[in-house]
Amino acid sequence: MQEQEPGQTPDTNTPLWRFSLALWQQQEASELCLGLQQQGWSVTRLLCAGWLASEGRDYAGDEPGDLLQWRGTVTESVRSLKKSLDKSDNLLAPLREALAKAELEAERIELYRAWLALRKPATAGSMPATTRLAEQNLRRAAPDTGSSLNAKTEPMIRHLAQLINRISAPSASGRRRANGAVAP
């Protein structure tokens, strides 16, 4: 994860957020999500599962503790407070609107945290094709001296290949070919 400068806000305009906005613009989808939410489902989990499916990936359902804590203490609390306000009391309308905006902001942060967890590369021992290809290509780019690939450079190549893998995830509009390249 990239470190942020103190006081700098992370860019939360992630592929997961963009997918969520696009899905939410479909009235039927938003109504279904809200209906499921009334039944105890998490809209964030639904959006994550949908986004992963659009990326051709499985959703394991695992969530980090900080995400669960945020949802329970912030998102659900703001939502509950908003819902507790009487809709027929016009005096409360501006407060209800402000809480609706706060709820959306809490959900945006929640989806960003989910995206951070979901975008992580495969666990150690499981090297995706992109990482292997990047390592191979980096080795091919080595100088022609016999000592260029050694105990010091090999870990550097492996680490660089992992970093390349992180930014090479297939987009929703492309599919990964067998060699790791993204198809047009």
Side-chain angles (χ1 to χ4, degrees), residues 66-117:
D66 65 333
L67 176 64
L68 294 170
Q69 182 179 9
W70 178 266
R71 182 182 300 134
T73 60
V74 179
T75 306
E76 290 175 358
S77 296
V78 172
R79 182 179 301 122
S80 177
L81 185 58
K82 179 191 77 175
K83 286 182 175 185
S84 73
L85 298 177
D86 184 359
K87 289 182 182 180
S88 65
D89 187 341
N90 291 335
L91 180 63
L92 299 178
L95 178 57
R96 187 169 170 77
E97 185 178 318
L99 287 171
K101 289 179 181 178
E103 180 185 12
L104 180 61
E105 182 65 12
E107 290 169 337
R108 183 185 62 80
I109 293 167
E110 187 177 328
L111 283 168
Y112 177 72
R113 290 181 173 182
W115 179 77
L116 288 175

Side-chain angles (χ1 to χ4, degrees), residues 2-146:
Q2 187 176 4
E3 294 280 329
Q4 295 293 322
E5 294 293 322
Q8 183 181 7
T9 303
D11 181 7
T12 58
N13 187 19
T14 65
L16 174 56
W17 179 249
R18 290 188 299 272
F19 168 85
S20 298
L21 290 176
L23 184 66
W24 206 257
Q25 288 177 353
Q26 298 179 45
Q27 185 176 353
E28 288 179 298
S30 60
E31 288 173 358
L32 286 168
C33 286
L34 291 173
L36 288 166
Q37 183 180 61
Q38 290 175 346
Q39 300 299 314
W41 291 61
S42 163
V43 170
T44 302
R45 289 175 60 87
L46 291 167
L47 293 171
C48 289
W51 174 68
L52 287 170
S54 76
E55 293 284 309
R57 296 172 51 203
D58 291 328
Y59 179 62
D62 300 330
E63 296 179 302
D66 65 333
L67 176 64
L68 294 170
Q69 182 179 9
W70 178 266
R71 182 182 300 134
T73 60
V74 179
T75 306
E76 290 175 358
S77 296
V78 172
R79 182 179 301 122
S80 177
L81 185 58
K82 179 191 77 175
K83 286 182 175 185
S84 73
L85 298 177
D86 184 359
K87 289 182 182 180
S88 65
D89 187 341
N90 291 335
L91 180 63
L92 299 178
L95 178 57
R96 187 169 170 77
E97 185 178 318
L99 287 171
K101 289 179 181 178
E103 180 185 12
L104 180 61
E105 182 65 12
E107 290 169 337
R108 183 185 62 80
I109 293 167
E110 187 177 328
L111 283 168
Y112 177 72
R113 290 181 173 182
W115 179 77
L116 288 175
L118 294 172
R119 73 178 176 101
K120 292 181 180 177
T123 57
S126 173
M127 290 181 62
T130 302
T131 302
R132 285 191 297 271
L133 180 60
E135 282 185 26
Q136 178 182 332
N137 289 348
L138 290 170
R139 286 188 184 101
R140 287 181 180 158
D144 288 332
T145 63

